[in-house]
Amino acid sequence: MKIKKFELWSGITVLFLGLFLLFLIYPMFGILRQAVISKDGDFTLKEFVKFFSQSYYSKTIYNSFKVSIAITALTLLIGIPLSYFYSFYHVKGAKFLFVASILCCMSAPFIGAYAWILLLGRSGIITKFIRDVFGVKIGNIYGFKGILLVQALKLFPLVFVYMNGAFKNIDKTLMEASENMGCTGIRRFFQIVMNLSMPTILAAALLVFMRAFADFGTPLLIGEGYRTFPVEIYNQYLGENGTDHNFAAAISIIAILVTALVFFLQQWGTGKYKFSISALHPIEKKSLKGLKGALIYLYSYLLIAVALLPQIYIIYLSFRNCDQAVFKPGYSLANYQMAVKKLLMRSITNTTILGVGSLALIIVCAILIAYLVVRRSNVWNHTIDTMSMLPYIMPGSVIGIALVIAFGKQPLALTGTIWILLISFVIRRMPYTIRSATATLQQIPISIEEAAISLGASKLKTFSLITVPMMSNGIISGAILSWVSIVTELSSSIILYNNKNITLTMSAYVAISRGNYGLAAAFSAILTVVTAISLVIYLAVSKSEDIKL
């Protein structure tokens, strides 16, 4: 009887299955057990019955879906045109626009929403200015519209960065052929460009939806009566008015099932656009002239300026004199001097170590998983792909608690160490790079790899020297977003951090929770600068033509 040879990729599949079972499924089993096992140790579904039988709770599903779908649609509406202008035209200051767009989506949770309250709240400076000067009441930032505005302006860079990678993979000969057949302008954009980019559009839409659905910071601060899934989970786990961990666990399970359904719908949609293209002749950017050029410049810079406004305002506030929650006239470095005394250097060091370490692991895992899913499609590899998305669709606080339950005791006691934060960051932020790398690999013809193998190259050499470099655009795009989300991670860190492994984002959060907004603004401003510097260095080292500064 002939024994089937155990291939390298089969071993990698087994490895990833084992890792996900240990660091994801096993911790999640603790959450599931908490949802169906009462405090007396009996099996029960009463927590689920409680959720669906009371509209006060079940309405959060509708609210979360409504606001998340609206955010996704708006980010696509504003992000795709920006990426198209960036990729197809010579826009002066394009490198600045790219970096600024990344900074738009890296504002620290809580304080970013707080900045919008100071700008557009009932007594916000913009609200008061328009009312006093023009006599117009523009409403305020609170409720559904406020969540939509804040989240769309924060998340559209996800679409922008992903679409840059997709547009770069379009061969200009396809554009020229369509033009020769009379398909130009807006018609060509929708019929050719959009269809060729659809796998990436769906990948970006999924990530925006998941992030909007799982966010609790923005709805918590400005939602007021507009209650969402994550806010209810957060309140049940960590609320000041009493907690119910069993009920929160049940809500978490419902959230996982709902968002898993969304993920499978996205997978089905992506399957409708299975094709491959190779940009042997990259798109040549056109010059901007006349009214068309002026409108493109106006759209691009105005959008970035509005989205970046909270960041700029936070930096401004960091130099204002402040007495706890009250900003006073005058400017000084008092907030920064206080930050130095409040673990600033330790926070920067931990942020850098966790960021670099997590990103390195994410890139390696994302490349391997993308190849398994696209090139070696089977039920086990698709299971890995599905499991890799689970942490993204769950609130971070749930992940943090699950890890504490799983690794809070021997034989694998990791609670309180930097390793448990590293695990949390990797499993929560890997989907950015996986989705981007997968979407890019789907567009690379397998015939290129087959040609290399037929010429004598080994499968491993073909993978490392041919496939991976061709995936670089998608890998870089996803890795940038993974990096930004890692250094601004808050929801799981709240559960897992201590003074030894505190990060810049956590330092800002602690300052906010203690009512010291000047100190929080200083930490957030430093986080912005550190992220901007690291982003410039990373993009320069990447040597990508349209990203290198």
Side-chain angles (χ1 to χ4, degrees):
M1 180 178 176
K2 186 177 180 180
I3 300 176
K4 187 177 180 179
K5 185 178 180 181
F6 189 76
E7 296 182 338
L8 172 64
W9 288 107
S10 298
I12 294 175
T13 296
V14 172
L15 175 63
F16 275 116
L17 283 172
L19 291 174
F20 279 116
L21 287 173
L22 176 62
F23 293 116
L24 179 59
I25 303 304
Y26 170 62
M28 286 302 101
F29 178 77
I31 296 292
L32 177 61
R33 185 180 185 280
Q34 199 169 51
V36 298
I37 303 297
S38 68
K39 296 178 182 178
D40 298 327
D42 300 323
F43 177 83
T44 179
L45 296 176
K46 68 177 183 179
E47 304 297 349
F48 295 95
V49 173
K50 175 182 176 182
F51 180 87
F52 287 108
S53 63
Q54 299 183 31
S55 60
Y56 178 82
Y57 297 117
S58 58
K59 189 178 179 181
T60 58
I61 295 180
Y62 172 77
N63 288 345
S64 291
F65 258 107
K66 179 181 176 182
V67 74
S68 298
I69 291 173
I71 290 168
T72 303
L74 186 55
T75 56
L76 292 175
L77 186 64
I78 64 179
I80 292 178
L82 179 64
S83 180
Y84 181 80
F85 299 150
Y86 179 89
S87 301
F88 284 79
Y89 295 95
H90 286 290
V91 179
K92 293 183 179 179
K95 309 303 186 294
F96 165 78
L97 286 175
F98 185 89
V99 175
S101 70
I102 299 298
L103 296 179
C104 291
C105 70
M106 57 73 59
S107 60
F110 286 98
I111 199 165
Y114 175 69
W116 277 112
I117 292 175
L118 295 177
L119 291 168
L120 289 174
R122 295 184 179 91
S123 299
I125 58 173
I126 296 178
T127 305
K128 292 173 63 178
F129 174 79
I130 295 177
R131 183 182 62 214
D132 296 341
V133 175
F134 300 103
V136 177
K137 293 183 179 181
I138 61 172
N140 56 67
I141 197 69
Y142 301 101
F144 171 83
K145 293 180 180 178
I147 298 173
L148 175 61
L149 173 67
V150 173
Q151 285 293 80
L153 289 176
K154 183 174 181 178
L155 297 180
F156 81 86
L158 295 174
V159 177
F160 172 58
V161 174
Y162 270 40
M163 294 307 299
N164 288 344
F167 289 151
K168 284 177 60 178
N169 286 328
I170 296 178
D171 196 301
K172 72 174 183 179
T173 56
L174 295 175
M175 304 294 286
E176 293 171 352
S178 63
E179 186 174 358
N180 292 335
M181 297 178 68
C183 185
T184 59
I186 297 295
R187 182 184 171 193
R188 181 174 64 178
F189 173 76
F190 283 104
Q191 293 189 358
I192 306 298
V193 177
M194 291 290 284
N195 277 300
L196 290 175
S197 308
M198 192 55 66
T200 304
I201 292 174
L202 292 174
L206 176 68
L207 289 183
V208 170
F209 179 90
M210 296 298 188
R211 181 155 176 178
F213 193 90
D215 178 59
F216 76 92
T218 303
L220 186 66
L221 274 185
I222 66 177
E224 289 196 338
Y226 197 86
R227 297 166 51 256
T228 63
F229 240 18
V231 172
E232 194 59 43
I233 295 173
Y234 175 78
N235 287 335
Q236 295 298 330
Y237 262 122
L238 305 170
E240 297 178 357
N241 300 320
T243 61
D244 187 343
H245 291 185
N246 295 83
F247 186 47
I251 301 176
S252 300
I253 297 300
I254 295 170
I256 294 170
L257 295 176
V258 169
T259 48
L261 176 62
V262 174
F263 173 72
F264 287 126
L265 287 175
Q266 187 268 353
Q267 291 288 84
W268 175 81
T270 302
K272 296 292 183 180
Y273 290 90
K274 281 190 175 181
F275 57 84
S276 60
I277 56 176
S278 179
L280 299 177
H281 306 91
I283 295 293
E284 294 180 359
K285 294 185 178 182
K286 300 179 181 179
S287 299
L288 288 174
K289 298 178 181 179
L291 179 60
K292 177 181 178 180
L295 291 176
I296 288 177
Y297 274 112
L298 178 63
Y299 177 85
S300 301
Y301 278 92
L302 183 60
L303 175 60
I304 295 297
V306 173
L308 201 58
L309 189 59
Q311 297 281 28
I312 297 173
Y313 193 58
I314 287 171
I315 294 175
Y316 162 75
L317 290 179
S318 70
F319 293 101
R320 284 280 301 273
N321 291 327
C322 181
D323 182 10
Q324 289 297 105
V326 179
F327 288 98
K328 297 183 175 180
Y331 304 89
S332 69
L333 296 175
N335 294 323
Y336 290 95
Q337 292 170 349
M338 189 183 305
V340 173
K341 299 177 182 179
K342 298 289 185 179
L343 304 177
L344 174 61
M345 294 311 299
R346 182 182 298 178
S347 299
I348 293 176
T349 301
N350 288 335
T351 298
T352 304
I353 292 174
L354 284 168
V356 173
S358 301
L359 187 63
L361 290 173
I362 284 172
I363 290 175
V364 172
C365 292
I367 291 172
L368 295 176
I369 291 175
Y371 191 84
L372 288 174
V373 172
V374 178
R375 292 291 191 254
R376 304 183 66 84
S377 179
N378 59 49
V379 64
W380 297 112
N381 291 336
H382 280 293
T383 299
I384 291 173
D385 187 37
T386 302
M387 287 194 296
S388 72
M389 288 300 299
L390 290 178
Y392 190 82
I393 65 180
M394 293 183 288
S397 56
V398 176
I399 297 289
I401 293 172
L403 290 175
V404 168
I405 293 173
F407 303 114
K409 55 185 178 181
Q410 296 297 339
L412 198 59
L414 299 176
T415 303
T417 69
I418 199 170
W419 297 108
I420 198 166
L421 277 171
L422 186 69
I423 293 170
S424 173
F425 288 0
V426 170
I427 64 175
R428 267 182 57 72
R429 302 310 180 184
M430 195 187 304
Y432 286 110
T433 311
I434 290 178
R435 295 268 64 81
S436 183
T438 300
T440 302
L441 184 56
Q442 286 175 338
Q443 297 179 349
I444 299 175
I446 194 173
S447 58
I448 296 178
E449 299 170 49
E450 293 172 342
I453 294 174
S454 67
L455 292 172
S458 65
K459 292 183 178 180
L460 184 61
K461 190 174 183 180
T462 299
F463 170 74
S464 58
L465 298 183
I466 303 296
T467 308
V468 173
M470 293 184 70
M471 294 169 61
S472 60
N473 289 335
I475 295 169
I476 290 172
S477 297
I480 291 170
L481 299 176
S482 292
W483 165 261
V484 170
S485 60
I486 286 169
V487 297
T488 58
E489 169 63 29
L490 172 70
S491 53
S492 64
S493 300
I494 291 177
I495 308 298
L496 302 173
Y497 93 102
N498 56 36
N499 277 341
K500 290 184 179 180
N501 54 38
I502 194 170
T503 62
L504 281 171
T505 303
M506 278 309 308
S507 292
Y509 170 78
V510 170
I512 291 175
S513 64
R514 294 176 179 175
N516 195 331
Y517 294 137
L519 178 61
F523 274 118
S524 297
I526 293 168
L527 177 61
T528 299
V529 173
V530 169
T531 305
I533 293 174
S534 61
L535 182 62
V536 169
I537 294 173
Y538 174 67
L539 297 181
V541 171
S542 73
K543 298 180 180 179
S544 181
E545 184 272 336
D546 71 342
I547 299 176
K548 185 178 178 181
L549 303 180

